[in-house]
């Protein structure tokens, strides 16, 4: 059999890499049982055909979005970002602390430097006072009035939370790309298996016919051997393709959270459809607005700028207000309420160069985030333009493969007529049959590559899940 084209192999290598990144270890129960039936004319392992479970492309993607480990992990990271935002916001809100203190005390007043000299001879105050019980109930409130550091820190965590939300959205596009790519690969594999079965049936009929002609003295043993070798070749190809499809189903099952041993069959047949009527300039404009990873990078760049502002604000004064209200009672004496109100201005004078070091660190972080943003913009433009190049090239490949398949089929019909008329031996017929098998697999690979190119374009636009039905013409 022929190998896929280099472009197809490279494309599928990229898709396989994404599959490895987002493969989920979450396993579900087997969806249904299946039965086994022997492949027509095949020697070796039997093919498994599901009778109770069919999986559509839309269902597969929905399950992948729900169970895939990458999306699950990012949801946990989003929760962590929400917690960090709450912590940063607490520095801007009033803080109220209540305390209840009960103590028993004995105080050495002389050790505290308190001395009382009475003018009455023979009388003196005790050096030790107590023991006595003290109960105190207090509430303390603090509130920042002007604190540029806390304000910028809170805005920084808000932008980072936004970036986490957008990263989660972008991961969903990657899951869609991976699941859809694995699904399309399984469809292509199934088509290859069906083509190989037809070739096995044809080779079997040719061997039977050649054997009959040899018995009638119209063919030689070489002709029979040639036909038998062709049948064995087609049987080997069928077994290999069946094995590939089984492994592709395992990959797909892992992506959508099913058990690797789950029995299912893909139900959608995504045929060749013309690419969407969208110019490159329109696609670039949509990508600039829709790409979640670009928005996330912009949010991280804004967060880095706010972190730099917070570092610079470390040198600025800050204003705080505090209040303390409570009551205390000692022993059986009557309790009394007390309070205090204070305003504090904090002016950094010298902190050993800490503020300068934080500014340097934040400046480097901002420069890195800006470089990442610029690089991502160029990468997105490259993704869009490469997707269009692949679409154009693969559209031509599909058309050429279709015409080649038609020619080889016509040639097979003519060669069979010559063989039936006894004008030629079966060598030309075997070669024509092999050409048809090769052309069919080439056409299947070209359709698969074209559909993957449309997937790449949907991902490049940033709306893989929303644009997929339109691009692949699925319901």
């Amino acid at each position: 059999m022929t190998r896929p084209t280099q472009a197809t192999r490279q494309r599928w290598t990229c898709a396989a890499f994404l599959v490895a990144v987002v493969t989920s270890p979450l396993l579900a129960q087997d969806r249904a049982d299946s039965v086994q039936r022997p492949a027509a004319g095949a020697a070796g392992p039997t093919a498994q055909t599901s009778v109770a479970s069919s999986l559509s492309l839309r269902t597969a993607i929905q399950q992948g979005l729900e169970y895939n480990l990458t999306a699950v992990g990012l949801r946990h990271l989003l929760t962590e970002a929400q917690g960090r935002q709450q912590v940063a916001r607490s520095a801007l809100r009033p803080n109220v602390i209540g305390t209840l203190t009960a103590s028993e005390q004995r105080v050495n007043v002389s050790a505290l430097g308190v001395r009382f000299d009475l003018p009455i001879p023979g009388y003196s105050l005790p050096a030790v006072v107590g023991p006595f019980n003290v109960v105190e109930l207090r509430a303390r409130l603090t509130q920042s009035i002007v604190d540029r550091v806390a304000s910028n820190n809170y805005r920084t965590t808000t932008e980072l939370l936004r970036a986490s939300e957008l990263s989660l959205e972008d991961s969903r596009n990657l899951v869609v790309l991976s699941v859809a790519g694995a699904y399309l690969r399984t469809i292509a594999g199934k088509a290859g298996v069906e083509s190989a079965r037809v070739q096995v049936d044809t080779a079997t009929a040719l061997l039977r016919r050649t054997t009959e002609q040899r018995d009638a003295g119209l063919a030689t043993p070489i002709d029979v051997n040639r036909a038998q070798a062709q049948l064995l070749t087609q049987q080997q190809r069928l077994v290999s393709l069946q094995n590939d499809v089984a492994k592709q189903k395992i990959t797909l099952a892992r992506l959508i959270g099913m058990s690797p041993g789950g029995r299912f069959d893909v139900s959608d047949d995504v045929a060749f459809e013309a690419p969407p009527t969208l110019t490159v300039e329109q696609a670039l404009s949509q990508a600039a607005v829709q790409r979640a990873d670009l928005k996330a990078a912009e949010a991280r760049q804004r967060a880095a700028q706010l972190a730099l502002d917070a570092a610079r604000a470390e040198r600025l004064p800050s204003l705080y207000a505090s209040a303390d209200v409570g009551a205390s009672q000692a022993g059986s004496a009557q309790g009394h309420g007390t309070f205090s109100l204070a305003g504090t201005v904090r002016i950094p004078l010298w902190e050993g160069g800490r503020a300068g070091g934080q500014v340097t660190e934040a400046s480097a972080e901002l420069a890195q985030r800006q470089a990442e943003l610029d690089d991502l913009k160029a990468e997105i433009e490259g993704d869009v333009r490469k997707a269009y190049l692949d679409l154009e090239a693969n559209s031509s490949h599909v058309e050429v493969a279709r015409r080649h398949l038609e020619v080889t089929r016509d040639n097979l019909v003519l060669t069979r007529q010559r063989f039936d008329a006894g004008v030629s031996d079966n060598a030309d017929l075997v070669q024509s049959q092999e050409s048809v098998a090769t052309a069919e697999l080439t056409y299947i690979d070209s359709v698969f590559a074209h559909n993957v190119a449309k997937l790449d374009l949907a991902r490049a636009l940033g709306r893989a899940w929303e644009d997929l039905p339109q691009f692949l013409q699925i319901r």
Side-chain angles (χ1 to χ4, degrees), residues 61 78 84 86 125 197 233 294 376 381 400 423 425 441:
I61 293 176
L78 177 61
R84 286 191 294 269
Q86 292 175 359
L125 293 177
R197 283 180 179 149
T233 299
L294 178 60
L376 182 58
E381 180 178 358
V400 172
V423 178
D425 57 16
L441 292 179

Side-chain angles (χ1 to χ4, degrees), residues 35-117:
V35 298
Q36 296 182 345
R37 62 184 176 94
T46 56
Q48 296 179 349
T49 305
S50 173
V51 296
S53 177
S54 60
L55 184 68
S56 67
L57 177 55
R58 184 179 293 273
T59 301
I61 293 176
Q62 289 173 341
Q63 292 183 193
L65 292 174
E66 181 178 359
Y67 293 109
N68 191 269
L69 180 62
T70 297
V72 173
L74 285 173
R75 283 196 290 269
H76 292 309
L77 292 177
L78 177 61
T79 304
E80 292 180 10
Q82 291 171 343
R84 286 191 294 269
Q85 184 196 39
Q86 292 175 359
V87 172
R89 183 170 51 192
S90 67
L92 299 175
R93 290 182 170 181
N95 291 296
V96 181
I97 300 175
T99 59
L100 173 62
T101 305
S103 62
E104 183 176 348
Q105 301 180 22
R106 174 176 289 181
V107 181
N108 185 351
V109 295
S110 62
L112 298 177
V114 179
R115 299 181 61 183
F116 296 96
D117 296 327

Side-chain angles (χ1 to χ4, degrees), residues 303-343:
Q305 179 63 59
L306 290 169
L308 177 59
D309 295 340
R312 290 170 174 168
E314 289 281 358
R315 300 188 175 104
L316 300 178
S318 54
L319 175 63
Y320 303 91
S322 61
D324 185 284
V325 180
S328 59
Q329 178 180 349
S332 59
Q334 182 179 0
H336 297 280
T338 60
F339 71 91
S340 66
L341 300 175

Side-chain angles (χ1 to χ4, degrees), residues 280 284 287 291 375-388 460:
V280 176
L284 290 173
R291 283 286 290 257
D375 181 72
L376 182 58
K377 289 180 179 179
E379 180 182 344
I380 290 174
E381 180 178 358
D383 289 344
V384 172
R385 294 188 181 278
K386 286 189 292 186
Y388 269 90

Side-chain angles (χ1 to χ4, degrees), residues 200-401:
V200 167
D201 292 340
T202 303
T204 301
L206 175 60
L207 176 59
R208 186 185 308 113
R209 179 65 182 277
T210 304
T211 302
E212 292 173 354
Q213 289 183 342
R214 182 201 60 185
D215 295 339
L218 300 177
T220 65
I222 294 178
D223 295 328
V224 176
N225 291 340
R226 186 184 297 116
Q228 188 172 10
Q230 175 67 7
L231 174 59
L232 293 174
T233 299
Q234 298 298 339
Q235 288 175 340
Q236 184 180 14
R237 174 179 290 163
L238 175 59
V239 171
S240 177
L241 291 172
Q242 287 173 335
N243 183 63
D244 289 342
V245 171
K247 292 191 292 184
Q248 290 155 13
K249 286 185 177 181
I250 292 175
T251 299
L252 178 59
R254 292 278 291 161
L255 282 172
I256 62 178
M258 290 181 63
S259 168
R263 312 244 185 224
F264 67 93
D265 196 12
V266 293
S267 59
D268 289 343
D269 184 14
V270 184
F272 172 76
E273 295 288 345
T277 56
L278 189 69
T279 65
V280 176
E281 289 72 20
Q282 291 173 334
L284 290 173
S285 299
Q286 291 186 17
V289 176
Q290 297 172 171
R291 283 286 290 257
D293 54 345
L294 178 60
K295 295 179 182 179
E298 292 172 343
R300 285 190 289 268
Q301 188 268 343
R302 291 193 296 269
Q305 179 63 59
L306 290 169
L308 177 59
D309 295 340
R312 290 170 174 168
E314 289 281 358
R315 300 188 175 104
L316 300 178
S318 54
L319 175 63
Y320 303 91
S322 61
D324 185 284
V325 180
S328 59
Q329 178 180 349
S332 59
Q334 182 179 0
H336 297 280
T338 60
F339 71 91
S340 66
L341 300 175
T344 302
V345 178
R346 177 182 178 274
I347 303 175
L349 297 178
W350 172 249
E351 295 180 317
R354 182 176 63 89
Q358 290 179 335
V359 169
T360 301
E361 181 182 358
S363 298
E365 178 73 13
L366 176 60
Q368 179 181 353
R369 296 307 180 193
Q370 184 62 53
E372 291 174 353
L373 178 60
D374 295 339
D375 181 72
L376 182 58
K377 289 180 179 179
E379 180 182 344
I380 290 174
E381 180 178 358
D383 289 344
V384 172
R385 294 188 181 278
K386 286 189 292 186
Y388 269 90
L389 291 173
D390 289 340
L391 275 174
E392 183 178 357
N394 287 307
S395 295
S396 301
H397 291 164
V398 171
E399 179 61 24
V400 172

Side-chain angles (χ1 to χ4, degrees), residues 352-474:
R354 182 176 63 89
Q358 290 179 335
V359 169
T360 301
E361 181 182 358
S363 298
E365 178 73 13
L366 176 60
Q368 179 181 353
R369 296 307 180 193
Q370 184 62 53
E372 291 174 353
L373 178 60
D374 295 339
D375 181 72
L376 182 58
K377 289 180 179 179
E379 180 182 344
I380 290 174
E381 180 178 358
D383 289 344
V384 172
R385 294 188 181 278
K386 286 189 292 186
Y388 269 90
L389 291 173
D390 289 340
L391 275 174
E392 183 178 357
N394 287 307
S395 295
S396 301
H397 291 164
V398 171
E399 179 61 24
V400 172
R402 184 186 62 80
R403 293 179 180 177
H404 183 226
L405 180 58
E406 292 175 353
V407 171
T408 55
R409 285 175 175 173
D410 290 342
N411 187 61
L412 179 60
V413 172
L414 297 174
T415 305
R416 183 179 291 115
Q417 291 175 354
R418 288 171 55 84
F419 176 72
D420 292 339
V423 178
S424 63
D425 57 16
N426 65 354
D428 293 338
L429 186 58
V430 168
Q431 184 178 1
S432 296
Q433 180 185 346
E434 181 65 23
S435 298
V436 171
T438 300
E440 287 180 347
L441 292 179
T442 300
Y443 178 75
I444 292 170
D445 284 336
S446 63
V447 173
F448 165 73
H450 184 265
N451 286 329
V452 170
K454 288 191 286 187
L455 278 181
D456 290 341
L457 178 58
R459 156 62 183 160
L461 294 179
R463 288 169 49 90
W465 176 234
E466 293 82 356
D467 293 339
L468 202 63
Q470 173 190 356
F471 283 15
L472 297 182
Q473 298 297 314
I474 61 173

